[in-house]
Amino acid sequence: MSTSTGTSSTSTSTSTRSSTIYKSVAGAEEIRRRYRETLDNWPVPAERIRVPTREGETFVLVSGPQDAPPVVLLHGAGANATTWQADIATWSRHFRTYAVDIIGEPGLSAPSRPPLASDAHALWLDDVLDGLGITTAAVAGASLGGWLALDYLIRRPHRVTRLALLCPGGVGKQRVGLLFKTLFLRAFGRWGVRRSVRSATGLHTLREGPVLDQVVLTFTQFKPRMERLPVFPDDALRGLGVPVLVIAGTADAFFDSEGTARRVRENVPDGTVRLLPGVGHAVLGQAEPMVEFLHG
């Protein structure tokens, strides 16, 4: 069960949000309704906090003991804090977790999408951490969230203690062929969206069905980012001064995981890489090794 607290500044209007990152007002409302249902059935006690930032209001779901070490959780593109739902019980036994809804994504944060090739997202995260009263924290990120975590560590090395990343962007080569295939298949309606989502995420089994269904709903109504993730140069990776764990699947359709592994091993001074054979872009069930790593 979750509880609500924190600031209560006015949210971005439905019409504005829908016109920028959703295909329709009705679609936006359906995605948010499903999201709130999930929050109402969150598996551990949680606080819902809204933090004012220079990019607009940011929604954060906070769990775990107040005196536990802080961990900031950053989901991937086309997602929200539900990314961590299956594992939050594990995370919150060890940490005070802050699951942030990234701006411009289908959560409850502002629809703002400042350029990735700038310091805008680092400044936004400054506001988020300051608003939460966090001076330093470990950060866990997936895909786009992994890119944001790396970008923040590079720009704010004094604020990040460790990184645990799932299929992070910005290291291995980003594949573009899937984008064109996805755009083609979406012309075939929900069947096409489901087919493209399965190709993109690697979600196929019955056990993964609920996750797949949620992603299909989202991308039926949501306008994904089309901006490519900037690639971090070798010098930036060599300058990372904290331990970094990267977990990725060898069958990732979005990023070259072998290239990610090679660049981390060659450049990150205290980097650890785990490649999961046959796993796609959706890397599930890795809470235990990530928690163990972040404990140091």
Side-chain angles (χ1 to χ4, degrees), residues 95-206:
F95 298 104
R96 182 71 165 172
T97 61
Y98 298 85
V100 178
D101 274 358
I102 295 172
I103 51 175
E105 298 300 328
L108 298 178
S109 292
S112 176
R113 287 179 179 170
L116 292 171
S118 72
D119 64 351
H121 285 86
L123 292 169
W124 163 69
L125 278 173
D126 283 342
D127 292 343
V128 173
L129 296 188
D130 291 345
L132 294 169
I134 298 173
T135 303
T136 61
V139 182
S143 192
L144 170 65
W147 184 93
L148 290 171
L150 279 166
D151 179 71
Y152 196 65
L153 172 57
I154 291 167
R155 296 178 187 274
R156 306 288 191 269
H158 60 288
R159 301 202 72 166
V160 180
T161 58
R162 282 179 175 251
L163 284 189
L165 309 176
L166 298 173
C167 54
V171 186
K173 183 178 180 181
Q174 186 171 349
R175 307 184 194 278
V176 297
L178 179 65
L179 173 62
F180 296 109
K181 178 181 178 182
T182 298
L183 292 174
F184 170 76
L185 287 172
R186 285 175 65 172
F188 293 90
R190 189 175 180 82
W191 174 86
V193 172
R194 189 175 183 84
R195 179 86 175 266
S196 63
V197 167
R198 288 176 64 182
S199 298
T201 61
L203 297 171
H204 296 284
T205 69
L206 185 62

Side-chain angles (χ1 to χ4, degrees), residues 8-280:
S8 58
S9 59
T10 303
S11 299
T12 304
S13 70
T14 297
S15 59
T16 300
R17 188 185 296 266
S18 298
S19 66
T20 54
I21 66 173
Y22 293 103
K23 296 178 182 179
S24 69
V25 172
E29 288 298 333
E30 176 63 12
I31 288 174
R32 287 198 292 271
R33 183 186 66 80
R34 295 278 192 97
Y35 185 22
R36 289 190 176 99
E37 286 179 355
T38 301
L39 294 178
D40 288 341
N41 293 284
W42 203 245
V44 296
E47 299 174 63
R48 303 178 190 183
I49 297 178
R50 298 183 182 274
V51 181
T53 77
R54 71 195 68 202
E55 296 294 341
E57 193 173 77
T58 297
F59 177 81
V60 185
L61 195 64
V62 185
S63 305
Q66 292 188 7
D67 59 350
V71 172
V72 176
L73 304 175
L74 300 173
H75 59 76
N80 50 44
T82 58
T83 293
W84 314 103
Q85 180 182 12
D87 298 317
I88 195 63
T90 298
W91 283 101
S92 62
R93 281 199 299 270
H94 304 274
F95 298 104
R96 182 71 165 172
T97 61
Y98 298 85
V100 178
D101 274 358
I102 295 172
I103 51 175
E105 298 300 328
L108 298 178
S109 292
S112 176
R113 287 179 179 170
L116 292 171
S118 72
D119 64 351
H121 285 86
L123 292 169
W124 163 69
L125 278 173
D126 283 342
D127 292 343
V128 173
L129 296 188
D130 291 345
L132 294 169
I134 298 173
T135 303
T136 61
V139 182
S143 192
L144 170 65
W147 184 93
L148 290 171
L150 279 166
D151 179 71
Y152 196 65
L153 172 57
I154 291 167
R155 296 178 187 274
R156 306 288 191 269
H158 60 288
R159 301 202 72 166
V160 180
T161 58
R162 282 179 175 251
L163 284 189
L165 309 176
L166 298 173
C167 54
V171 186
K173 183 178 180 181
Q174 186 171 349
R175 307 184 194 278
V176 297
L178 179 65
L179 173 62
F180 296 109
K181 178 181 178 182
T182 298
L183 292 174
F184 170 76
L185 287 172
R186 285 175 65 172
F188 293 90
R190 189 175 180 82
W191 174 86
V193 172
R194 189 175 183 84
R195 179 86 175 266
S196 63
V197 167
R198 288 176 64 182
S199 298
T201 61
L203 297 171
H204 296 284
T205 69
L206 185 62
R207 178 180 64 85
E208 296 165 339
V211 179
L212 177 61
D213 290 340
Q214 180 60 41
V215 177
V216 169
L217 167 66
T218 298
F219 280 94
T220 301
Q221 300 294 339
F222 175 71
K223 300 175 185 177
R225 294 173 190 252
M226 304 304 288
E227 185 181 6
R228 292 189 62 152
L229 299 179
V231 175
F232 301 109
D234 289 349
D235 287 348
L237 297 179
R238 293 188 187 115
L240 300 181
V242 304
V244 178
L245 170 68
V246 173
I247 302 176
T250 60
D252 192 327
F254 277 110
F255 302 115
D256 174 12
S257 294
E258 297 288 349
T260 295
R262 176 182 54 78
R263 292 196 67 216
V264 170
R265 288 167 178 154
E266 290 178 355
N267 296 293
V268 178
D270 194 358
T272 302
V273 180
R274 293 184 57 192
L275 285 181
L276 307 179
V279 173

